[in-house]
Amino acid sequence: MTNVNTGIRFPSLGNSYGSPTCNSCQTKARSAGEDGEGQCGYLEQVVTSRRRIKRGAVLYNGGDKFGSLFYVRSGFFKTCLSAKDGREQVTGFHMVGDVIGADGIASGQLTTDAVALEDSEVWTMSFDLIEQYSNECPSLRFYFLKTLSNEVVRLQSLALLLGSLRSEERVAVFLINLLEKLKSRGLSQSEVLLRMSRDEIGSFLGIRQETVSRLLRLFSERRILHVDNRHIKVLDSHLLKTMAESQGVMH
Amino acid sequence: MTNVNTGIRFPSLGNSYGSPTCNSCQTKARSAGEDGEGQCGYLEQVVTSRRRIKRGAVLYNGGDKFGSLFYVRSGFFKTCLSAKDGREQVTGFHMVGDVIGADGIASGQLTTDAVALEDSEVWTMSFDLIEQYSNECPSLRFYFLKTLSNEVVRLQSLALLLGSLRSEERVAVFLINLLEKLKSRGLSQSEVLLRMSRDEIGSFLGIRQETVSRLLRLFSERRILHVDNRHIKVLDSHLLKTMAESQGVMH
DNA sequence: CGCAGAGTTGAGGCGCTTCAAGAGCGGTGG
DNA sequence: CCACCGCTCTTGAAGCGCCTCAACTCTGCG
């Protein structure tokens, strides 16, 4: 147990459900020399490696054998699912605090590609070790269950967006969610430097890059945003929220 | 332990990843008097009630307090997510063997509505008990983890469908998946009596009911399907599969 | 400076929606 | 048993939102 006090932390995932504090195995935690913060020592135990991933590099590919989950320590990733015919769907953007790779649990194979959109650091968490320590530490187990459940909730919302919203609303929702996520991580809530291209935004939102571009200009003209290439500043967050649920044509 | 031999079974979930056989806690299983099939006695323990749900009745609503998962024993359900403005997205159709309600783990509140589309039977599995027995039975724990992971994979595919496919392909994929699911449960693989309306199919696929109707007629005219209201028969499954990935315009 | 990739912008087209009207179906009651 | 009613489904006509295609500009980087 060499790394108990190296400052390894699993921060809040930004959904306000908190970090995996260990309430139910306090005995274990205490015997492991943990402090009053309630952080469970087991979390450190499951991390088997720490990797730096360059921008553009692939963390994993769809079809790769599943053996671990990945904790994004810093940087920014996209995950995409590809159809047989080559069409791609970006299924998510992931930043510090996110855990990715859980789609592989079901079949033992990862289903998406994960690509770094900026230089990043990733901690590999062995699934075998997670399984092993899950016996001793219920809160560790619960943490990963919640992570999975959160991903389900997120993808349900994505389905709602893709299935029911007009493109204008999609872009507005995208920006709101992104800023909300940044805010929950203590970063700016009105300004962002996009790590992804228009094309990647479009793929995520189920629209073309040209449409993304046009809508950003529209928002810009309406003084809702200030857009300078990938640098976005929100000028009127109230109006942006209105756009996100503008009672459009589609019902 | 009164119900060990009542024949309660968690059938294969139709994804070929198998039922939660208990390989890793064989000692436990044996001591619980289980047979050579490897079925883990703990599965019976977490079921706290068995309910019959009439067609049209609600199993749960979005916002309801989460406390258990639901195992669909028989019948057919839809789950839908509603936006604030009233728009609805059907996020899934669920039949025998499916577990629903896992979206509630993350926040303690269910996020979708679950409505029975035919008279159904549901087993309620207490989450507290699942948590409790998870300590003793790793395969029980793993079973629910896989269930969650499967839901993630399913929703990723839905996102791909909603984000990248043309409506013709969506309907084809929908039918193929439905028939595949029926097949995995030992039911007909070329014929189906739809439990859901055109409107519900449309909501699921992100298109209008009129479009669903038109496309079914199109498939019918091309001798791919025989359509009689909700009764669908596949005449040319090869051609149907072709439609599902017809190199359309959208790339 | 020059090049490749990313982003923008316009023009035209088409796929799906919207709206509307009618047909079909299943359940209910006289 | 059939007539009725509500709901689902179908079908057509018209419109529009987003896509496609293409040309151009901008940005970052060697």
Side-chain angles (χ1 to χ4, degrees):
Chain A
M1 201 175 297
T2 60
N3 56 357
V4 164
N5 288 313
T6 49
I8 301 172
R9 279 287 135 79
F10 284 65
S12 161
L13 287 184
N15 42 38
S16 82
Y17 312 137
S19 52
T21 54
C22 194
N23 297 319
S24 24
C25 62
Q26 287 165 342
T27 318
K28 283 285 178 192
R30 265 190 234 108
S31 72
E34 279 298 288
D35 59 26
E37 208 181 342
Q39 197 80 24
C40 183
Y42 291 107
L43 284 166
E44 279 83 358
Q45 304 299 318
V46 301
V47 174
T48 50
S49 84
R50 305 174 190 190
R51 297 166 54 187
R52 298 204 165 275
I53 314 281
K54 279 267 169 226
R55 181 161 72 91
V58 171
L59 175 59
Y60 57 78
N61 273 307
D64 285 359
K65 187 165 178 297
F66 169 79
S68 45
L69 299 174
F70 301 98
Y71 176 80
V72 179
R73 174 62 185 176
S74 71
F76 206 87
F77 286 84
K78 69 168 175 179
T79 47
C80 4
L81 185 62
S82 348
K84 277 167 260 169
D85 57 18
R87 279 178 287 193
E88 266 196 6
Q89 172 73 29
V90 172
T91 57
F93 296 112
H94 312 278
M95 60 180 85
V96 53
D98 289 339
V99 172
I100 58 180
D103 50 61
I105 296 174
S107 70
Q109 285 200 334
L110 291 154
T111 56
T112 55
D113 306 329
V115 180
L117 297 183
E118 65 176 331
D119 293 357
S120 305
E121 190 185 352
V122 164
W123 288 348
T124 303
M125 303 183 288
S126 156
F127 187 66
D128 284 345
L129 287 179
I130 291 170
E131 278 285 278
Q132 197 177 311
Y133 286 116
S134 283
N135 283 324
E136 307 169 35
C137 181
S139 73
L140 181 82
R141 189 175 69 221
F142 189 54
Y143 171 73
F144 287 106
L145 217 46
K146 274 209 293 195
T147 297
L148 267 280
S149 179
N150 253 318
E151 185 68 358
V152 169
V153 172
R154 189 184 71 78
L155 287 166
Q156 283 174 347
S157 302
L158 180 60
L160 175 65
L161 178 145
L162 293 169
S164 309
L165 303 195
R166 291 174 304 109
S167 61
E168 199 175 284
E169 302 170 286
R170 296 186 195 192
V171 174
V173 167
F174 166 71
L175 289 172
I176 289 169
N177 287 350
L178 184 61
L179 288 161
E180 195 63 35
K181 210 167 168 179
L182 289 171
K183 183 184 170 189
S184 75
R185 283 155 175 75
L187 303 168
S188 168
Q189 53 185 300
S190 68
E191 213 167 328
V192 58
L193 183 64
L194 299 177
R195 288 2 282 217
M196 71 294 275
S197 68
R198 299 285 191 268
D199 199 35
E200 287 160 338
I201 296 173
S203 171
F204 183 58
L205 299 179
I207 58 184
R208 301 280 109 187
Q209 56 162 333
E210 292 96 326
T211 305
V212 175
S213 190
R214 280 184 250 267
L215 289 172
L216 287 178
R217 179 163 66 97
L218 180 75
F219 288 2
S220 184
E221 283 168 357
R222 293 191 191 167
R223 311 278 165 182
I224 299 171
L225 301 177
H226 182 264
V227 180
D228 175 21
N229 200 17
R230 294 195 178 187
H231 188 91
I232 309 272
K233 193 181 292 186
V234 177
L235 303 177
D236 190 336
S237 68
H238 181 71
L239 203 47
L240 185 62
K241 278 180 188 119
T242 308
M243 309 256 30
E245 40 194 61
S246 69
Q247 297 284 10
V249 195
M250 292 179 86
H251 196 161
Chain B
M1 203 176 294
T2 61
N3 56 358
V4 164
N5 288 313
T6 50
I8 301 172
R9 279 287 135 78
F10 284 65
S12 162
L13 287 183
N15 41 37
S16 82
Y17 314 137
S19 53
T21 54
C22 197
N23 297 319
S24 26
C25 62
Q26 286 167 342
T27 319
K28 283 282 178 193
R30 268 192 231 106
S31 72
E34 279 296 288
D35 58 26
E37 206 179 346
Q39 197 81 23
C40 181
Y42 290 106
L43 284 164
E44 279 83 357
Q45 304 299 318
V46 301
V47 173
T48 51
S49 85
R50 305 174 191 189
R51 298 166 53 187
R52 297 203 165 275
I53 314 280
K54 280 265 168 225
R55 182 161 71 91
V58 170
L59 176 60
Y60 57 77
N61 273 308
D64 285 359
K65 187 165 177 298
F66 168 78
S68 44
L69 299 174
F70 301 98
Y71 176 81
V72 179
R73 174 61 186 176
S74 70
F76 206 87
F77 286 83
K78 68 167 175 180
T79 47
C80 3
L81 184 63
S82 354
K84 277 167 261 170
D85 57 18
R87 278 178 287 192
E88 266 195 7
Q89 172 73 29
V90 172
T91 57
F93 296 111
H94 312 277
M95 60 180 86
V96 51
D98 288 340
V99 173
I100 58 181
D103 50 62
I105 296 174
S107 71
Q109 285 200 334
L110 291 153
T111 55
T112 55
D113 306 328
V115 180
L117 297 182
E118 65 175 330
D119 293 358
S120 305
E121 191 186 351
V122 163
W123 288 349
T124 303
M125 304 182 287
S126 156
F127 188 65
D128 284 345
L129 288 180
I130 291 170
E131 279 284 278
Q132 197 176 309
Y133 287 116
S134 283
N135 284 325
E136 307 170 33
C137 182
S139 73
L140 181 81
R141 190 174 69 221
F142 189 54
Y143 171 73
F144 287 106
L145 216 46
K146 273 209 296 194
T147 297
L148 267 281
S149 178
N150 253 318
E151 185 68 358
V152 168
V153 172
R154 189 184 70 76
L155 288 167
Q156 283 173 348
S157 302
L158 180 60
L160 176 65
L161 179 145
L162 293 170
S164 309
L165 303 196
R166 290 173 304 110
S167 60
E168 198 175 286
E169 301 170 287
R170 295 185 196 193
V171 173
V173 167
F174 166 70
L175 289 172
I176 289 169
N177 288 349
L178 184 61
L179 288 161
E180 196 62 36
K181 211 168 167 178
L182 288 172
K183 184 183 171 189
S184 75
R185 283 153 176 76
L187 303 167
S188 166
Q189 53 184 298
S190 68
E191 214 167 327
V192 59
L193 183 63
L194 299 177
R195 296 346 297 210
M196 70 295 274
S197 69
R198 299 285 190 270
D199 200 35
E200 287 160 338
I201 297 173
S203 171
F204 182 58
L205 299 179
I207 57 184
R208 301 280 110 188
Q209 56 162 332
E210 293 95 326
T211 306
V212 175
S213 190
R214 279 184 251 268
L215 289 172
L216 287 178
R217 180 163 64 97
L218 181 74
F219 288 3
S220 185
E221 284 168 355
R222 294 192 191 166
R223 310 279 164 181
I224 299 170
L225 301 177
H226 181 263
V227 180
D228 176 19
N229 199 18
R230 294 194 179 187
H231 189 91
I232 308 273
K233 192 181 291 186
V234 177
L235 303 178
D236 190 336
S237 67
H238 181 70
L239 203 47
L240 185 62
K241 277 180 189 119
T242 308
M243 309 255 30
E245 39 194 63
S246 68
Q247 298 284 11
V249 194
M250 293 178 85
H251 198 152

